[in-house]
Each structure stands twice: as C-alpha cells, then as structure tokens.
Amino acid sequence: MHQFQTGLGLYFRLILSFDSAGLREQRIASLHSCSPKVCIVGGGPAGFYTAQHLIKARQDVEVDIYERLPVPFGLVRFGVAPDHPEVKNVINTFTQTAKHTRCSFYGNVNVGKDVSVEELQRAYHAVVLSYGAEGNRSIGVPGEELTGVYSAKDFVGWYNGLPSCRELSPDLSCETAVILGQGNVALDVARVLLSPLDILKKTDITQPALEALTGSQVRRVLIVGRRGPMQVACTIKELREMVNLPDTRPEMVVSDFEGVTEALKDLPRPRKRLTELLLKTALETPGEKEQERRNKASRTWGFRFFRSPVEVLADPERSRTAGVRLAVNKLEGSGERARAVLTGEVEDVTCGLVISSIGYKSLPIDPSVPFDSSKAIVPNTMGRVQQASGLYCSGWLKTGPTGVIATTMNNSFDTARSLLEDMDSGTVDVSAAKSGSHIISSLLEERGVKPVTFSDWEKIDNVEMRRGEAIGKPREKLLTVEEMLRVARTVTEDKNVISY
Amino acid sequence: MSRRQRCFPIGRFRPCDQNRIMAAAAAVRSSMGLTLRLSRVIPDCSTCPLYKSKSCVNSVANLQRRSSFDSFRTINRHLQTSIGLYHSDEGSSNAEDPEDVVNVVYIDRSGQRIPVKAKVGDNVLYLAHKHGIDLEGACEASLACSTCHVYVSAAHFDKLPEPAEREDDMLDMAPMLQENSRLGCQIILTPELDGIELTLPKVTRNFYVDGHVPKPH
C-alpha cells in the first residue's frame, strides 16, 4: 500500500479497487473541481461590481450572473440619461468582468419564475441578490390614475428603451409639465423634455421618443418639492446642466429663498455649493449677455418649493389630467431633517403632464426570501440577509433606491467582502463541491428557457451600434424582448438582421 | 456623437494619444488578471494646434501602425474623456531620464504604503492601475463619477493646479470629502510633485439599513 501512495500518483490510486472513503472523495473532488461557486441575481451595476470584487479577491471563485432581460447592465442602460454617455463608460468595466474566464452571464432568465432562489441556493455556495428596484412609490392622491400622469421610472424607461415601457406613449401636447420630486431623476426628465432636439438626436435616446419629443408642445416645466431650496435632493452637476440648457430660462419664486443666504455659511461644502448656484440662478440679476439669452429663450423651467400634491385634477370629461392641486407647506426644523408641515392653503397649477419622481421601490421576487415591505428592502446586516444562510444582497435592494453608481460600487464591494469573510471563516462551507450552472442549465432547459450568453448580447450590441451609426447616434436600441432574442439567436452574420 | 474624442491641448502634453490611453487601460485589465481588450478609437486631431503646426509625432499613420497590436477590437467605441489624459509610454522605459522620474507613494485602504517610480506626465489614476492599486475609475476619467477620489499629501496639495468646476462638482459627491481631496484622474505628475503621497479613502461599512439620510441619485 505504502509504495502506491508515494510517487505513483493518482493513476494507481484510481486503479486500486479497495480505495478508502478518503481516496474516493479526492477523486470526486478532482472531477467536480472544488471551487466556490457564487450566483448573482441581477445584471446591473450592483451585480457586476459584486462579481468583480469576488473574482479579483479569490483566484478560485466562479461567478454566474443571472439577468431577467436578454441584455445586461440594468439602470446604466435604462436609467442613465441619454445625454450622459460618460456615466455609461462603466459598461467597459462590466464587460471585462463578464468576459473573465471565471464569470458567466445568463440573460433571459427570470429568477422567481423560471428558477427559484431555493434552487439556486442548492446549486451554489452562495447567492447574492442584486436585482434592484423595479417598482415605484405611488403619490397616493386621487386622480393619480388619470391619463397624463406617469412615474418618472416609466418615463425614463420609455425614452431609454426599456421593453416594458415601450407602449407608454406619453401625451406631450400640453404647454406645462409638472414634475413631483426634486432629485436627479426629476432633473433628467426636465432636461429631456426641454433639450434642443439637435442635442438629443445625437444620443442613444430611442427613435420613438425622439419623434414624440419633436412633436412635443411642452414649453414649461415646474419641478415641485415639499420642502425648501436647502433640501433639494439633486446634485450640482445636474442643476448646472439645467441652468446652462440652451434656449431655456429659469423661472423661480424669489420669496422661496428667504433666509437662505444667511444660512449658507454653516453648510457643508457640497450643500453650500449647490445652494449658492440655486441662489445665483434665482436671485442674481443676470449680465447683459445672459439676459439677452434668457429673453430669446423659448422654454422655461423652475423649482417650486414648499408644495405637496393633494390631488390630480381632471378635465371636464375626466379623461385626462388638467392640473394638479398643491398644498402649501412651511418648514419645521432646518437642514436635512427639516419637515414639511401643511399650512392649510392650497394652490392649483394648470398642466397636462404630471410626472412623479418620488422614488423607485424594490419588490419581492421570491417568497422564500425575507422582505421588509415597509422599507422595501431585503433585511440584512452588511449585505448578509438576515435569517438566511448563504444568501446576500447588494445594491439598491440592500440599502434602498438612492445613490449613484459610485455608491452602488462601494455597497457591492462591501457585500463581496462579507461573503469572502464568510467563505474564509467556514460560515459558507466551500469544501463541498456544488454543481452551479450545470444543474441550473438543465433545469432551465427542461422548462423551455434558453439563456442569452454574453456573446449573444454582443450580437445585440453590434446590431444596435450599426443601426445607430447609420443615423449619427451611438446606438439605436432594440425595443422588444422578441427582437433582442431573435438577434441573440442568430448563428452567423445574418445580413437581414444587420441592415435592420 | 461621432467616433471621436474631444481634444483640449494643455501645455506640453499631447492630448490625443488614444492608443496610449488604451494601452494603459489594457495594463489595468492585465494587472488585475482580467481579460485584455483593446479598442480602436480614431482621434479627431483637427482641433489640436500641434497637429495644425505639423509638430505632432502621433500622426494618424503612426497610430494606425501601432494599433496593429490590438488583438481585440470593438467597433464604434465612443470614448468620452476629460482633458489631460496624457501619460508616459510604459513601453519605452529604455533611457530613464532621472529628471523625468517622480516618486509617488500610494497608501491603500488597509494603510499599506506602496512606493511607485513614475514619470512626469503620468496620470495618477492609470498609474495606480498599472501597479495594481485598488483605485476605481468607473467613468474612465470623464469627470462623471467620484470613484478615483484620493487624499493628497499636504505638502503637495497646493502644488496642484486648481480643480476645474466640473471636478469640484464630482468631488462634492464623494463620501468622506476632506480639504485635501482630489480626483486621481485629474492629477498629472510634474517634477514638483516628487514625493507626493496619495491616500485612498477608507470607505467604511456605514451603509444604512434603517432609513438614514438618503444620498442623491
């Protein structure tokens, strides 16, 4: 026995029929390769950043990313405004991750419907939920269901080509649009509504949206918030873009800014710079050149502060929105924690378009996953899902739907660190081999689900870029899942597809 | 948007050196053990004074010749970048002119000091990538994120040119902003910066689960 165990290697061990349990385990392990296998649900920034960190930290980790749509990148593709292409550069980083040998992308797989989280947990050592926030907070006022009222999430999805928002067909035949909410998404919507078409037509905004905006009669956009200038949730970059938007002029209510100048000196730098720009735009008498520019502008935009919606008013036939009733607030307290309190006064604003930009919201996708409905997140501690072992979360699902890509990046790295710690400590047992995608692929095949691989996505990517090139845009997005799948399934360079 | 990069010449730096940027990006990928991928981007030289006065050595002919080492190509990659991306050619380290050397120390998130011998003209973000330092550059130096946020040593902070308004706007978004905060992608090494120390902010696990103050988005 001794002579076989030294120097003669595995071959002889395999041949010997009286191998012990230990030797049998070794043989099985070498066949299945005992690398930790992690499954990530959601192919947006959170999913990709979590994958990136895991792959970099351990040379043996294999990561599979499952995404419901045939196309990856989540809000980077469907949320970032078309005129912010630099923000989308992060796609290059995600592409590197997806093409890594230890990473696989499986698009067109609906976790919760095509495969359950429990099945994923059985197949993988750990599952990270990174599916973000696909719902939105409702305003909660009468008239919300009238034609002409849309959530910013849907409006943004519409102009960015999200398949589920394709039929939105927003009516842009009114003069005034009211946006509820004063965050960056609200400003994105305002900017897209008022941008000169010359600018928009060179972006990756969808062609139907471009056509609708070409025929748009919207000339005035009011961005309404419950609290005051010092509580706006947008950031200075987006505010500057509004201030500098060609062919537009700002229209603010001077009295909204009472007391703001005095409060400036105590503000932290980011809030201070933002407030200074707001003040300047609202109060300062513009120089001659700027005044001339404003006089010639054909479109206006402005913030309206201390206003909460209480009703969306209907036109006489109750067929569509004709205006919005706003309650007037006053502030109690100051700074970030100031609260809006009703004064009893109301004010009606005529408008034909109401876009509510008051927040996205995560939804539960699988009953086996704990979900906190009041906060709309998966309850967790540092990314470890509470009362569930081997289950983690990252991105907006973990912390709530606020934060830019950089925030999500840090958030996802933190979750990856928690998982890595757990693998090191044995809390997640990686000694037992798991079959990962092998078993999931079989399950999906049985159920008639055919995943889209990353190289399938690249076919879609190429078709979109070629279509865009023909009309001077970076890409012309495919607008339906059916189209995406058709292109994904092409085997060779199909001429018909490319000259679509 | 056309398949071009905007060129803004500054001082002695060649602004349109696309392939060098791509080579640095490639160094990023390979140093992190990720797949090598290069893109072919065609720069727009027409606005650059060096090109107009025919003093640019990076003529399109040269670029095309060098680009033959691109093993992978993507069509129509639109690289939107900010100014001042020139960095020294890591290929040609033959004659290291001592006057060109800039000693840099990166202090990573665990506090470890990593000394690096750099060159005048190097970009702090891409230099970090070249040496495997954990500094993200999500927007690829286009002033659209704050992931390359660093703290600059006090002795060198004032030697840096004033940040552009756009850099200040993005810095405002960075967590744990300090007086000596700058974006790494906007720092180009000069001889006066010899000895500069760049500390990566410790982004702590202070993420809220209890509905704390929301960050903008």
Side-chain angles (χ1 to χ4, degrees):
Chain A
M1 192 62 189
H2 179 73
Q3 72 199 88
F4 290 123
Q5 283 176 341
T6 53
L8 293 179
L10 198 59
Y11 175 71
F12 283 90
R13 291 178 182 175
L14 284 173
I15 287 190
L16 284 173
S17 53
F18 55 93
D19 52 349
S20 68
L23 291 171
R24 196 181 302 128
E25 260 170 27
Q26 263 186 18
R27 209 171 60 206
I28 292 168
S30 65
L31 288 172
H32 278 261
S33 91
C34 216
S35 46
K37 293 194 165 72
V38 178
C39 163
I40 294 181
V41 179
F48 274 99
Y49 273 130
T50 308
Q52 177 187 312
H53 196 96
L54 290 170
I55 288 173
K56 198 169 108 179
R58 272 183 78 133
Q59 297 308 304
D60 57 351
V61 158
E62 290 171 16
V63 179
D64 292 339
I65 301 175
Y66 291 87
E67 162 59 45
R68 184 174 57 192
L69 286 170
V71 298
F73 310 134
L75 282 178
V76 176
R77 175 180 166 99
F78 294 116
V80 174
D83 56 352
H84 286 169
E86 333 74 36
V87 177
K88 302 191 199 193
N89 281 345
V90 75
I91 284 177
N92 298 336
T93 309
F94 299 160
T95 300
Q96 296 293 339
T97 302
K99 292 168 88 85
H100 194 278
T101 47
R102 289 186 281 120
C103 185
S104 299
F105 172 80
Y106 298 101
N108 194 44
V109 177
N110 187 330
V111 173
K113 183 170 150 282
D114 298 333
V115 62
S116 72
V117 171
E118 267 172 346
E119 285 168 330
L120 291 174
Q121 283 187 280
R122 281 200 287 274
Y124 290 91
H125 292 103
V127 174
V128 184
L129 303 169
S130 315
Y131 61 78
E134 63 180 299
N136 57 262
R137 292 178 60 201
S138 67
I139 320 172
V141 299
E144 197 169 345
E145 63 307 317
L146 284 167
T147 306
V149 183
Y150 309 99
S151 70
K153 176 189 82 70
D154 288 344
F155 193 78
V156 169
W158 169 72
Y159 65 63
N160 272 337
L162 185 60
S164 58
C165 297
R166 189 171 62 99
E167 322 260 79
L168 196 76
S169 308
D171 187 340
L172 305 176
S173 62
C174 53
E175 196 204 329
T176 302
V178 165
I179 301 176
L180 303 169
Q182 296 174 329
N184 283 343
V185 179
L187 262 61
D188 278 355
V189 170
R191 201 174 64 250
V192 168
L193 280 171
L194 296 178
S195 277
L197 294 161
D198 280 344
I199 295 176
L200 286 180
K201 74 181 187 209
K202 297 185 195 138
T203 69
D204 64 5
I205 195 170
T206 67
Q207 203 57 21
L210 192 58
E211 277 161 23
L213 288 163
T214 306
S216 163
Q217 282 157 29
V218 174
R219 295 289 176 269
R220 187 164 162 256
V221 174
L222 300 176
I223 308 167
V224 176
R226 293 169 303 143
R227 300 185 293 173
M230 288 192 286
Q231 287 81 32
V232 279
C234 64
T235 53
I236 194 167
K237 171 172 177 259
E238 281 71 14
L239 176 60
R240 228 185 266 290
E241 285 171 337
M242 285 310 297
V243 171
N244 296 333
L245 195 59
D247 196 31
T248 66
R249 67 165 180 274
E251 175 200 300
M252 311 271 202
V253 174
V254 171
S255 56
D256 282 348
F257 292 84
E258 252 166 67
V260 174
T261 312
E262 293 72 22
L264 266 183
K265 57 182 175 3
D266 298 320
L267 297 173
R269 176 189 131 147
R271 177 59 71 183
K272 181 159 182 253
R273 291 180 76 240
L274 174 63
T275 311
E276 277 170 348
L277 179 57
L278 254 178
L279 273 172
K280 181 172 169 206
T281 309
L283 302 182
E284 210 178 77
T285 316
E288 207 182 301
K289 219 169 135 196
E290 169 65 11
Q291 187 59 64
E292 208 186 300
R293 190 194 74 82
R294 289 190 188 182
N295 293 343
K296 285 203 278 214
S298 65
R299 300 168 179 209
T300 64
W301 67 277
F303 285 115
R304 288 294 178 274
F305 295 105
F306 310 108
R307 300 287 183 275
S308 296
V310 290
E311 190 180 340
V312 178
L313 307 167
D315 71 352
E317 285 96 54
R318 281 214 67 81
S319 58
R320 53 168 303 106
T321 174
V324 65
R325 179 158 291 159
L326 302 171
V328 179
N329 299 325
K330 64 174 195 277
L331 275 192
E332 263 176 24
S334 64
E336 309 290 331
R337 301 208 179 278
R339 294 182 319 118
V341 170
L342 294 172
T343 58
E345 272 182 67
V346 289
E347 182 181 282
D348 287 355
V349 175
T350 307
C351 64
L353 185 62
V354 177
I355 297 186
S356 77
S357 183
I358 57 175
Y360 287 57
K361 198 165 83 168
S362 291
L363 304 175
I365 61 166
D366 190 301
S368 71
V369 176
F371 192 79
D372 180 339
S373 324
S374 62
K375 291 188 203 118
I377 56 169
V378 169
N380 70 92
T381 312
M382 308 229 271
R384 297 176 175 98
V385 176
Q386 286 170 5
Q387 272 136 35
S389 80
L391 204 53
Y392 299 77
C393 55
S394 66
W396 281 3
L397 185 62
K398 170 183 168 190
T399 58
T402 59
V404 293
I405 292 176
T407 326
T408 296
M409 179 187 84
N410 290 325
N411 163 333
S412 303
F413 286 175
D414 265 8
T415 294
R417 273 188 277 265
S418 292
L419 172 51
L420 289 162
E421 263 172 33
D422 290 353
M423 289 201 264
D424 285 343
S425 70
T427 309
V428 167
D429 182 8
V430 298
S431 62
K434 293 265 194 174
S435 40
S437 60
H438 293 136
I439 198 150
I440 300 298
S441 297
S442 312
L443 273 178
L444 291 173
E445 202 178 321
E446 274 169 41
R447 296 167 188 175
V449 176
K450 191 159 181 258
V452 169
T453 64
F454 202 76
S455 47
D456 289 335
W457 144 248
E458 287 180 313
K459 294 178 210 161
I460 298 172
D461 193 24
N462 282 337
V463 166
E464 290 186 345
M465 288 195 287
R466 274 180 228 202
R467 288 171 74 195
E469 204 179 335
I471 45 178
K473 294 162 84 170
R475 71 177 59 240
E476 186 58 53
K477 292 177 183 170
L478 299 184
L479 299 177
T480 62
V481 169
E482 292 69 35
E483 266 184 293
M484 293 173 184
L485 290 177
R486 192 158 23 98
V487 172
R489 310 289 179 226
T490 56
V491 175
T492 51
E493 290 249 298
D494 185 340
K495 276 208 183 115
N496 294 333
V497 170
I498 289 177
S499 59
Y500 198 83
Chain B
M1 254 160 301
S2 63
R3 201 190 310 181
R4 289 154 200 270
Q5 179 195 11
R6 284 165 295 155
C7 296
F8 298 95
I10 49 162
R12 58 193 272 195
F13 304 130
R14 278 185 287 261
C16 56
D17 217 357
Q18 300 275 354
N19 278 0
R20 290 162 184 238
I21 295 160
M22 289 296 106
V28 172
R29 316 303 173 205
S30 54
S31 72
M32 290 179 163
L34 299 173
T35 319
L36 186 67
R37 188 171 180 85
L38 299 174
S39 310
R40 177 183 52 183
V41 181
I42 299 168
D44 178 6
C45 303
S46 58
T47 57
C48 175
L50 289 171
Y51 175 76
K52 284 188 202 158
S53 64
K54 298 201 198 308
S55 359
C56 176
V57 300
N58 280 349
S59 66
V60 173
N62 276 347
L63 285 169
Q64 281 175 346
R65 188 163 38 80
R66 252 183 284 150
S67 72
S68 59
F69 74 85
D70 290 359
S71 352
F72 305 105
R73 286 166 193 223
T74 47
I75 44 167
N76 216 17
R77 173 78 73 205
H78 298 284
L79 186 70
Q80 306 283 329
T81 59
S82 62
I83 59 175
L85 279 177
Y86 176 82
H87 68 90
S88 49
D89 194 342
E90 63 267 349
S92 65
S93 53
N94 17 7
E96 248 189 37
D97 184 351
E99 284 176 5
D100 248 3
V101 170
V102 179
N103 292 296
V104 175
V105 176
Y106 287 94
I107 299 165
D108 75 10
R109 294 181 214 279
S110 64
Q112 193 193 353
R113 292 173 65 86
I114 302 154
V116 162
K117 249 184 165 39
K119 289 207 185 77
V120 169
D122 277 348
N123 176 296
V124 159
L125 173 62
Y126 294 122
L127 180 70
H129 288 171
K130 190 171 148 187
H131 293 268
I133 288 154
D134 215 353
L135 192 60
E136 283 293 321
C139 74
E140 297 179 0
S142 55
L143 288 178
C145 79
S146 58
T147 57
C148 66
H149 173 209
V150 290
Y151 302 134
V152 179
S153 41
H156 302 88
F157 183 71
D158 293 321
K159 297 195 174 129
L160 296 173
E162 284 288 306
E165 191 176 68
R166 286 174 63 202
E167 180 183 346
D168 270 334
D169 287 353
M170 295 321 299
L171 272 172
D172 279 357
M173 311 266 286
M176 299 164 63
L177 191 66
Q178 287 178 182
E179 290 286 330
N180 60 339
S181 285
R182 287 298 299 262
L183 293 182
C185 69
Q186 300 299 300
I187 301 176
I188 309 294
L189 295 176
T190 60
E192 305 80 62
L193 295 176
D194 188 45
I196 191 171
E197 299 198 347
L198 301 158
T199 307
L200 274 59
K202 286 186 185 44
V203 188
T204 55
R205 296 185 191 209
N206 56 357
F207 290 104
Y208 31 82
V209 274
D210 58 346
H212 172 55
V213 179
K215 286 200 169 63
H217 70 289

